[in-house]
Amino acid sequence: MQGRLSAWLVKHGLIHRSLGFDYQGIETLQIKPEDWHSIAVIFYVYGYNYLRSQCAYDVAPGGLLASVYHLTRIEDGVDQPEEVCIKVFASRRNPRIPSVFWVWKSVDFQERESYDMLGISYDNHPRLKRILMPESWIGWPLRKDYIAPNFYEIQDAH
Amino acid sequence: MAATSTYMASTHFSMLGWTTKGNNKQLKRRNFFSVSAQEAEIEELKEEEKQEETMKKPRPVEPQINVESKNMTRDYGGQWLSCATRHVRIYAAYIDPETFAFDQTQLDKLTLLLDPTDEFVWTDDTCTKVYSYFQELVDHYEGAPLTEYTLRLIGSDIEHYIRKLLYTGEIQYNMNAKVLNFSMGKPRVGFNYNGQMEDVNQ
């Protein structure tokens, strides 16, 4: 099963892998981290001028980390804009994914959050540092192998 | 606690004499403790012997005179390296026990303010227990980076230790405390301690 964008990418000889469609029928593609920056630029030129959301998750214990991008093509007078979902997987040992900050500026805080929670380091991000946790925090809280420190919290106050 | 060989550096710690005296039972009593970390090669052998003991002796920092508050202004961020929970306030600074002058330039010392809101009734004995546990933790974390995270690890361990002291009946709630909300659990009558920490939620 191949979506429109996948067919277009094949026509232009761009390496990707189709992951099918999500429950809303939006095409999902996997792209290698080393290709991601150039393909992001191509997508922007193609017309995906709006990054709706960026998020990241830990695929499986000991497995890969994924960074997910939802792109939308905003045009005048369109009520069903073209959408696509991109997944970029990185190894847990050395998770490096090129930042798309210079393509879609709105990814700034979202990539920082992904860095903070899962430790994916986005190359060429202008200010990649923790955004939710204190800067001296150790560990990546949303990884499946993260063990929360036994910090004291007031639980029993009456 | 880790084995002796994992201690990263030998250090010399000392403790500041806290202002409480045995007969001074008034409510405004301050519990005070500060330790310092200084490299000292000669101490290494003695240190390893000491670590065999079950309880560390707190070693006092010499009280300083003419302490002034330093590095407290906005130019330095207007904040300090600390871990503040209700019963444990740890600052990476020297704090004068009398005047509370806060010298932030002395980052090699940690100062512990124990239970500033007077929620518990402390005796010199139980104070010393907490201080020696603090000393033990500071020795244990020697070599770790001086960040809020490390201080919070130390502070949390002390809070858990205080809770353990409360559950074994060594300290009691101070019924004259300004805020009486039993932050470590409601007091119980006839609670029998058999050497194990009871689950908090039971």
Side-chain angles (χ1 to χ4, degrees):
Chain A
M1 200 156 67
Q2 205 176 30
R4 267 177 55 201
L5 189 69
S6 180
W8 186 82
L9 287 172
V10 168
K11 203 176 93 190
H12 290 84
L14 298 169
I15 297 161
H16 68 283
R17 189 171 147 224
S18 189
L19 297 176
F21 297 84
D22 71 2
Y23 75 103
Q24 287 178 316
I26 294 170
E27 195 178 350
T28 308
L29 302 176
Q30 179 190 341
I31 286 172
K32 282 185 185 170
E34 56 266 30
D35 299 339
W36 172 226
H37 185 73
S38 54
I39 292 186
V41 174
I42 291 168
F43 280 163
Y44 187 82
V45 173
Y46 178 89
Y48 287 105
N49 48 10
Y50 174 46
L51 182 102
R52 201 169 75 241
S53 155
Q54 191 272 335
C55 61
Y57 64 98
D58 191 349
V59 178
L64 298 167
L65 304 174
S67 180
V68 186
Y69 303 81
H70 292 269
L71 305 175
T72 310
R73 184 173 184 172
I74 301 280
E75 285 168 307
D76 283 344
V78 174
D79 59 346
Q80 289 280 315
E82 240 181 86
E83 289 179 32
V84 69
C85 170
I86 308 293
K87 292 189 180 182
V88 182
F89 294 91
S91 77
R92 174 180 299 262
R93 287 285 169 83
N94 185 20
R96 294 171 72 95
I97 292 175
S99 169
V100 292
F101 173 82
W102 302 104
V103 184
W104 297 284
K105 292 280 194 294
S106 58
V107 85
D108 184 1
F109 278 16
Q110 299 176 30
E111 281 186 343
R112 275 179 64 186
E113 188 186 347
S114 302
Y115 167 74
D116 190 1
M117 289 292 132
L118 289 144
I120 300 172
S121 72
Y122 290 91
D123 293 341
N124 286 330
H125 191 282
R127 40 189 168 269
L128 194 65
K129 62 172 190 176
R130 289 190 183 272
I131 188 169
L132 298 173
M133 308 303 284
E135 275 183 54
S136 60
W137 199 265
I138 297 169
W140 312 109
L142 284 190
R143 285 200 188 183
K144 294 197 198 259
D145 53 2
Y146 178 73
I147 297 166
N150 189 20
F151 283 157
Y152 176 79
E153 308 274 349
I154 289 183
Q155 294 150 355
D156 310 311
H158 298 288
Chain B
M1 194 51 75
T4 332
S5 55
T6 61
Y7 282 76
M8 276 172 272
S10 84
T11 48
H12 182 260
F13 287 98
S14 44
M15 192 187 102
L16 181 75
W18 48 96
T19 54
T20 57
K21 292 174 183 73
N23 52 2
N24 186 6
K25 291 286 178 199
Q26 54 185 343
L27 208 68
K28 277 285 122 199
R29 204 171 72 152
R30 308 269 194 223
N31 296 314
F32 221 89
F33 180 68
S34 70
V35 295
S36 74
Q38 296 149 2
E39 296 294 332
E41 290 283 317
I42 318 136
E43 293 287 316
E44 194 159 353
L45 282 174
K46 287 184 205 163
E47 198 66 32
E48 283 184 3
E49 283 163 25
K50 268 182 200 162
Q51 279 154 7
E52 305 293 323
E53 296 167 19
T54 47
M55 193 124 124
K56 278 194 180 278
K57 271 218 168 133
R59 286 151 281 170
V61 164
E62 281 124 50
Q64 302 175 9
I65 49 165
N66 297 332
V67 183
E68 286 173 18
S69 291
K70 283 179 196 160
N71 289 12
M72 297 286 285
T73 56
R74 234 166 231 285
D75 312 342
Y76 297 93
Q79 55 181 359
W80 39 86
L81 206 53
S82 65
C83 161
T85 49
R86 178 157 180 189
H87 312 100
V88 175
R89 310 266 158 95
I90 298 172
Y91 297 95
Y94 180 86
I95 305 177
D96 190 277
E98 306 290 341
T99 63
F100 284 84
F102 196 110
D103 187 355
Q104 276 224 101
T105 53
Q106 303 187 32
L107 277 174
D108 58 333
K109 298 178 180 64
L110 293 181
T111 302
L112 168 70
L113 293 173
L114 182 60
D115 196 11
T117 55
D118 281 317
E119 200 184 11
F120 301 113
V121 179
W122 294 97
T123 61
D124 282 353
D125 195 34
T126 49
C127 275
T128 314
K129 273 189 181 172
V130 175
Y131 296 152
S132 59
Y133 189 61
F134 178 47
Q135 183 76 67
E136 195 180 303
L137 286 172
V138 171
D139 287 1
H140 177 67
Y141 283 108
E142 185 53 41
L146 182 66
T147 56
E148 225 160 74
Y149 191 85
T150 314
L151 293 185
R152 200 167 161 199
L153 283 172
I154 296 175
S156 297
D157 280 356
I158 296 173
E159 285 276 9
H160 292 302
Y161 185 72
I162 291 172
R163 180 182 209 138
K164 201 182 126 220
L165 287 182
L166 180 72
Y167 275 50
T168 52
E170 290 183 59
I171 53 174
Q172 289 87 35
Y173 280 113
N174 178 6
M175 287 300 158
N176 300 317
K178 214 171 179 183
V179 179
L180 194 63
N181 62 357
F182 304 123
S183 73
M184 284 192 171
K186 279 182 187 166
R188 292 172 227 199
V189 178
F191 175 68
N192 187 21
Y193 180 73
N194 52 6
Q196 285 217 323
M197 266 288 272
E198 196 106 333
D199 191 352
V200 184
N201 298 317
Q202 279 173 7

